[in-house]
Amino acid sequence: MTNKRGAWTPDSSTLTKAQTVMDAAAQSGNLYRNGLGMIASENIISPMVQNIIASDLHGRYAEGMPGKRYYQGCDDFDTIESIGIELARSVFNAPFANIQSTSGTVSNIAALKALAQPGDDITAVSTADGGHISHARMGAVGLRDLNLSTYPWNEERMEPDIDGACELIRSVEPKVALIGQSVFLFPTPLKEIADAAHEVGAKVMYDGAHVLGLIAGGVFQDPLREGADVITGSSHKTFPGPQGGFLLSSSEDPAFQKRLNNAVFPGVCSSYHLHHVAGKVIALAEFEEYGEAYAKDIVQNAKHFASALAAEGFDVLAESRGYTASHQVLTRHGGKDSGAGAKAARLLEDAGIITNMNMLPGDTKALTPSGLRLGVQELTRVGMGPGEMEEVARLYARVLIHGEDPSSVKNDVADLKSNHQIIRYCFNEENQSGYPL
Ligand code: DSN
């Protein structure tokens, strides 16, 4: 038995296996260095973040909060985390910020621990409509043993049907009204939903994992001012930091803030990965400086890319709303459940364009969906603008519409990418080696 590349066998020596791992990591780096990373949940980290996540902090523990630790040796990390909390409160304009959680899903598990008890009701967007797996019984919602009711979905507007969602909340009277998706083209009209939720005593939890950088950059929506009690999110999508999570709240109540902190530690984390926390703090500092411009450029690029794809002949969703107001673009490549999205994603990968297949309205099977979900945040991060968005749309068309051999398109993909090797919107922009090794 060998893996896909035939690079190892189970009886290889352990050193060979370790070397194979090093080679595969380098190969994976090359794939993205020479190709177009367009998975909407991904990004690349800045040189300063690359440095700090490889620091000694990686091996350390700091359970508790700054100034109140269960281990010695934490004074310097206290400085780091204190600066990080202050920066997060400023960048996200949030009275409360916890920067410890190790991912968006971990933030969701912590929030559900703080906001609900097993057996309580929750309302959310269904995974078929773009809700995240942690919003489902198969994920964190099930782990907390919550009863899930899903909002009706408005396919035309690609958002919850607002009247239907409010009706559902008023009839179910959940403990948590969860808003936000992994397929997130447009801001959710939050105020009406939050009013209905607060009327029945529910807390409003907004999963901003995908759009956190756009929210912080002031170009998407402002959930904490529109009625969200808690925002959860990842630190590595449109917010361009290392892998990790955030937990934010509009609450000034010290008891509620303590409940949120306790839900992260000791609730769902022991070690909370100090090197990544420090990386988040650097990324927050960089965002404070460059975030607004980055967020604006992302959304401008996404709109431009969507229009350029449509002009090439692609079926781009949500035309009536201008296709997108986020970093994401959705395209349909065949009939429902046809697997056309999966096929398109494989052909694009052969051309060096990395995307993911995605269910679109009407699809029922996650492995044979009809669509692609595309994100432009990484291309924006390496300095691509509207002109490059048009070039990328042409590359898509050569592969998926004109049936050109993906391996010949791959050369042009690499050519385009060779001019975009410097990571932008960060410190030391002019003095860096670019993509991570
Ligand atoms: N599964 C990720 C996404 O691609 O949206 C989020 O965790």
Side-chain angles (χ1 to χ4, degrees):
M1 189 183 89
T2 60
N3 77 335
K4 192 171 124 194
R5 293 177 192 279
W8 59 274
T9 59
D11 57 358
S12 305
S13 75
T14 46
L15 181 58
T16 305
K17 284 176 184 159
Q19 191 51 55
T20 303
V21 169
M22 296 302 289
D23 292 347
Q27 194 57 32
S28 177
N30 283 335
L31 176 68
Y32 288 90
R33 197 170 299 112
N34 302 325
L36 302 177
M38 299 194 69
I39 291 179
S41 53
E42 299 184 347
N43 215 320
I44 38 176
I45 47 177
S46 73
M48 212 163 163
V49 174
Q50 290 174 40
N51 278 342
I52 204 158
I53 67 172
S55 72
D56 177 78
L57 287 168
H58 172 271
R60 307 300 160 196
Y61 267 73
E63 292 178 343
M65 297 299 292
K68 194 170 167 226
R69 301 295 188 190
Y70 296 84
Y71 297 97
Q72 296 310 117
C74 295
D75 288 356
D76 299 309
F77 188 73
D78 280 1
T79 304
I80 294 169
E81 190 173 348
S82 301
I83 292 173
I85 293 168
E86 184 201 303
L87 277 170
R89 291 178 56 200
S90 159
V91 165
F92 298 114
N93 191 11
F96 168 85
N98 180 299
I99 64 171
Q100 298 176 346
S101 114
T102 50
S103 75
T105 291
V106 168
S107 303
N108 282 346
I109 299 171
L112 295 178
K113 186 173 189 323
L115 301 179
Q117 295 295 322
D120 283 345
D121 284 287
I122 185 168
T123 52
V125 174
S126 92
T127 50
D129 293 325
H132 188 247
I133 46 174
S134 61
H135 305 179
R137 286 285 307 177
M138 65 179 140
V141 160
L143 184 70
R144 192 63 176 144
D145 199 16
L146 305 177
N147 304 312
L148 173 67
S149 304
T150 56
Y151 307 120
W153 187 251
N154 184 327
E155 287 183 16
E156 172 76 18
R157 294 186 57 77
M158 289 300 286
E159 66 185 23
D161 174 277
I162 297 308
D163 290 344
C166 292
E167 211 173 290
L168 182 76
I169 289 167
R170 288 195 175 97
S171 89
V172 169
E173 299 191 2
K175 276 284 178 337
V176 180
L178 173 52
I179 293 297
Q181 306 93 244
S182 285
V183 174
F184 214 159
L185 294 177
F186 301 103
T188 305
L190 196 53
K191 189 153 183 337
E192 283 170 81
I193 292 181
D195 286 349
H198 291 148
E199 209 179 288
V200 299
K203 291 285 189 203
V204 177
M205 172 177 161
Y206 181 104
D207 185 337
H210 267 269
V211 290
L212 208 57
L214 308 182
I215 288 171
V219 297
F220 195 65
Q221 68 182 126
D222 189 2
L224 294 180
R225 258 57 54 191
E226 293 164 25
D229 298 290
V230 168
I231 296 182
T232 57
S234 340
S235 48
H236 49 266
K237 296 183 169 74
T238 54
F239 183 85
Q243 291 265 345
F246 290 112
L247 186 53
L248 311 165
S249 176
S250 54
S251 176
E252 309 262 6
D253 173 10
F256 186 67
Q257 295 185 349
K258 187 166 179 213
R259 184 139 57 101
L260 294 175
N261 279 332
N262 286 346
V264 180
F265 172 85
V268 296
C269 290
S270 164
S271 164
Y272 51 87
H273 306 182
L274 308 196
H275 58 319
H276 278 198
V277 171
K280 279 185 242 182
V281 179
I282 300 288
L284 283 162
E286 292 181 327
F287 201 93
E288 186 96 294
E289 199 80 15
Y290 306 103
E292 274 184 30
Y294 180 46
K296 185 170 138 284
D297 292 348
I298 290 174
V299 174
Q300 173 181 279
N301 275 347
K303 287 176 186 289
H304 213 89
F305 181 53
S307 302
L309 284 174
E312 292 291 340
F314 285 102
D315 181 359
V316 186
L317 269 69
E319 182 183 2
S320 66
R321 297 196 71 184
Y323 304 117
T324 184
S326 73
H327 60 308
Q328 295 185 3
V329 175
L330 290 183
T331 50
R332 187 187 298 281
H333 298 268
K336 71 173 181 175
D337 290 332
S338 62
K343 187 173 167 212
R346 281 194 300 270
L347 285 169
L348 289 169
E349 182 172 5
D350 290 342
I353 302 174
I354 313 301
T355 64
N356 66 270
M357 61 182 175
N358 218 93
M359 285 168 73
L360 300 181
D363 284 328
T364 59
K365 298 188 170 66
L367 286 174
T368 54
S370 60
L372 293 177
R373 183 194 65 175
L374 310 167
V376 301
Q377 69 291 337
E378 184 168 335
L379 301 190
T380 308
R381 183 105 158 115
V382 291
M384 292 197 191
E388 284 84 2
M389 293 300 109
E390 286 170 26
E391 267 186 72
V392 175
R394 279 195 293 276
L395 293 165
Y396 272 68
R398 284 170 58 188
V399 178
L400 298 178
I401 293 184
H402 307 304
E404 209 175 303
D405 181 354
S407 58
S408 64
V409 179
K410 192 173 188 172
N411 295 329
D412 294 333
V413 165
D415 260 7
L416 171 64
K417 192 60 188 297
S418 67
N419 297 319
H420 297 280
Q421 295 293 314
I422 299 297
I423 299 161
R424 311 284 178 187
Y425 311 97
C426 60
F427 300 138
N428 302 326
E429 191 181 303
E430 299 314 320
N431 181 25
Q432 60 169 271
S433 51
Y435 264 71
L437 289 177

